[in-house]
Amino acid sequence: MGRIIVLSGPSGAGKGSVITPVLAKFPTIHLALSATTRPKRSGESDGTHYFFKTDAEFNQLIQDDAFLEWCHVHKHRYGTLKNTVHTTIQTGHHSLIEIDTQGFKKVRQHCDPLSIFIAPPSLEALAERLTKRQTETPQDIESRLAVAKVELESQGDYAYTIINVDLAEAQHQLTQILEKELI
Ligand code: 5GP
């Protein structure tokens, strides 16, 4: 059986930039795509970034007990699909799920995942990154910063925290953690 790896961190902490190149070095780790009711951002596509769902479709998935966990995050719903994770770990691969801190609390009730938190150097740095990436409105940025404050308080629940000051260094730390824990 493979392991479940939970990766969390505030929106804008650079999770994607840290994870993507590192995952390319670990063919045994599969990134599990979540389902979400959030609208697609430009450049995103269904089945590559998320499974984009309508509210009705998401409700049906809840009814079908398809989720390992699901949560309200930033006014939308996001959920980890049981099927994706189970198929991966049953074939001996590791399933990496990128979820928020509430989702981690729920997953921890069912299993003992390897948990890693990616933190920004500071809230100021986070605000700057969110503003620069121009994917959210100013109101969305405000709400993401408020959520980030709460999420940062949960970083002590994770086995590892990586502070993303320098991208190459953060990638190196993630590589070391995965090598130590999985190989
Ligand atoms: P974004 O909208 O920027 O792609 O993601 C926003 C937040 O939703 C991130 O903190 C991300 O970790 C979280 N998220 C993405 N997928 C899931 C999921 O399946 N479950 C939970 N609980 N959170 C998720």
Side-chain angles (χ1 to χ4, degrees):
M1 286 279 274
R3 284 187 81 179
I4 298 180
I5 307 164
V6 171
L7 225 138
S8 303
S11 174
K15 285 178 303 228
S17 320
V18 176
I19 302 166
T20 309
V22 174
L23 278 193
K25 294 191 276 186
F26 291 88
T28 57
I29 304 177
H30 296 185
L31 178 66
L33 285 194
S34 297
T36 184
T37 57
R38 160 167 87 59
K40 262 185 220 141
R41 294 185 187 133
S42 82
E44 287 184 334
S45 58
D46 189 49
T48 307
H49 297 87
Y50 284 103
F51 295 114
F52 292 97
K53 302 290 177 191
T54 61
D55 273 320
E57 288 167 340
F58 203 94
N59 289 342
Q60 188 61 53
L61 287 167
I62 295 172
Q63 261 188 32
D64 295 345
D65 195 26
F67 290 119
L68 186 63
E69 63 74 37
W70 69 269
C71 293
H72 288 276
V73 190
H74 309 305
K75 294 183 287 188
H76 301 291
R77 291 183 290 172
Y78 295 78
T80 308
L81 294 159
K82 273 186 192 167
N83 227 347
T84 317
V85 172
H86 288 166
T87 308
T88 301
I89 61 174
Q90 276 160 11
T91 54
H93 296 94
H94 308 293
S95 184
L96 188 143
I97 55 179
E98 204 217 293
I99 61 177
D100 80 328
T101 51
Q102 318 165 68
F104 171 51
K105 289 190 173 93
K106 293 183 184 173
V107 170
R108 244 188 352 179
Q109 292 169 4
H110 308 291
C111 61
D112 179 29
L114 166 60
S115 58
I116 306 167
F117 189 91
I118 300 192
S122 64
L123 278 173
E124 290 71 28
L126 190 66
E128 200 181 313
R129 280 186 204 167
L130 284 172
T131 310
K132 267 197 199 147
R133 85 177 182 189
Q134 295 187 323
T135 52
E136 276 83 25
T137 62
Q139 290 92 324
D140 283 338
I141 292 177
E142 278 307 309
S143 109
R144 279 172 190 257
L145 282 173
V147 173
K149 274 190 198 156
V150 176
E151 291 211 299
L152 287 169
E153 287 164 11
S154 294
Q155 57 183 295
D157 296 345
Y158 289 73
Y160 296 94
T161 296
I162 297 171
I163 302 174
N164 185 15
V165 179
D166 173 74
L167 185 58
E169 175 55 25
Q171 290 166 349
H172 175 65
Q173 284 180 26
L174 179 60
T175 304
Q176 283 192 319
I177 294 167
L178 296 175
E179 280 174 349
K180 177 172 167 239
E181 292 283 344
L182 302 178
I183 295 170

